């Protein structure tokens, strides 16, 4: 619930500052949170982990849309998506660098005793659990493949 309250305060501040760019991004976050709350049921509150997943999903959607708009030479729409992405990412936890992700995955591999690509599922499950919100799934997957081959 803390994220929703924070978003509400940020929306008010953006309205007062007449910052339409930030307001658009904040409203997208609020809509996604409200949708996630209704999916869970009226009595269940969202956990911090669920809130992060919602924000990651929004960020991924914005990146994919921005890529499509860039390929279609739609700079105006690309700019809107990138502005919203910046707002969404400001609420996500700090992303780890490649070296930090690699270190964490090496530790997981040594803990699980994984040696071949057959163990990738076991490593990915633990890596996704430990690095949730801190690293992109594609990056995790690429590093795991690199270390297990």
């Amino acid at each position: 619930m803390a994220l929703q309250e924070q978003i509400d305060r940020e929306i008010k501040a953006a309205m007062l500052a007449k910052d339409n760019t930030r307001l658009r991004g904040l409203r997208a976050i609020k809509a996604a949170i409200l949708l996630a709350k209704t999916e869970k049921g009226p009595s269940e509150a969202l956990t911090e982990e669920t809130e992060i997943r919602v924000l990651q999903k929004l960020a991924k959607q914005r990146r994919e849309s921005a890529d499509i708009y860039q390929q279609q030479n739609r700079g105006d729409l690309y700019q809107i998506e990138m502005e919203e992405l910046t707002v969404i990412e400001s609420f996500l936890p700090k992303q780890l660098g490649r070296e930090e992700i690699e270190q964490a995955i090496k530790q997981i591999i040594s803990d699980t005793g994984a040696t071949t690509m057959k163990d990738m599922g076991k490593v990915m499950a633990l890596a996704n659990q430990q690095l949730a919100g801190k690293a992109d799934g594609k990056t995790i997957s690429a590093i795991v493949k690199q270390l297990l081959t």
Side-chain angles (χ1 to χ4, degrees):
M1 192 68 158
L3 179 63
Q4 186 173 0
E5 292 168 0
Q6 183 181 358
I7 295 296
D8 288 339
R9 283 193 304 271
E10 295 278 336
I11 286 175
K12 288 177 188 172
M15 288 173 126
L16 290 172
K18 294 185 179 12
D19 185 353
N20 291 330
T21 302
R22 185 158 178 79
L23 187 59
R24 191 176 52 243
L26 291 168
R27 284 182 172 158
I29 294 170
K30 184 174 181 173
I33 289 172
L34 290 173
L35 183 64
K37 274 181 72 173
T38 57
E39 287 174 356
K40 289 281 186 185
S43 62
E44 291 186 41
L46 292 178
T47 62
E48 186 177 341
E49 191 176 289
T50 306
E51 290 172 342
I52 289 173
R53 262 191 261 121
V54 167
L55 291 174
Q56 285 177 323
K57 182 179 176 183
L58 283 176
K60 182 179 179 185
Q61 288 172 344
R62 295 304 182 280
R63 274 189 218 97
E64 289 172 352
S65 295
D67 289 344
I68 291 170
Y69 292 142
Q70 193 171 31
Q71 290 170 4
Q72 295 176 347
N73 295 323
R74 292 294 311 263
D76 54 335
L77 297 175
Y78 171 80
Q79 184 64 34
I80 290 171
E81 294 296 326
M82 293 309 291
E83 290 168 350
E84 288 183 16
L85 178 62
T86 303
V87 173
I88 292 165
E89 285 178 339
S90 70
F91 292 96
L92 283 169
K94 181 186 171 291
Q95 297 291 300
L96 296 176
R98 187 167 177 86
E99 297 81 29
E100 295 168 310
I101 297 169
E102 218 169 289
Q103 288 297 90
I105 292 174
K106 283 179 183 175
Q107 182 63 43
I108 292 169
I109 289 173
S110 69
D111 290 348
T112 59
T115 55
T116 64
M117 286 299 288
K118 290 181 181 178
D119 301 319
M120 184 173 174
K122 184 170 35 173
V123 174
M124 283 297 296
L126 285 171
N128 284 330
Q129 185 178 23
Q130 286 182 14
L131 302 173
K134 299 175 188 170
D136 180 45
K138 287 182 183 178
T139 307
I140 294 172
S141 177
I143 293 172
V144 169
K145 285 178 185 175
Q146 173 190 341
L147 293 174
L148 287 180
T149 52

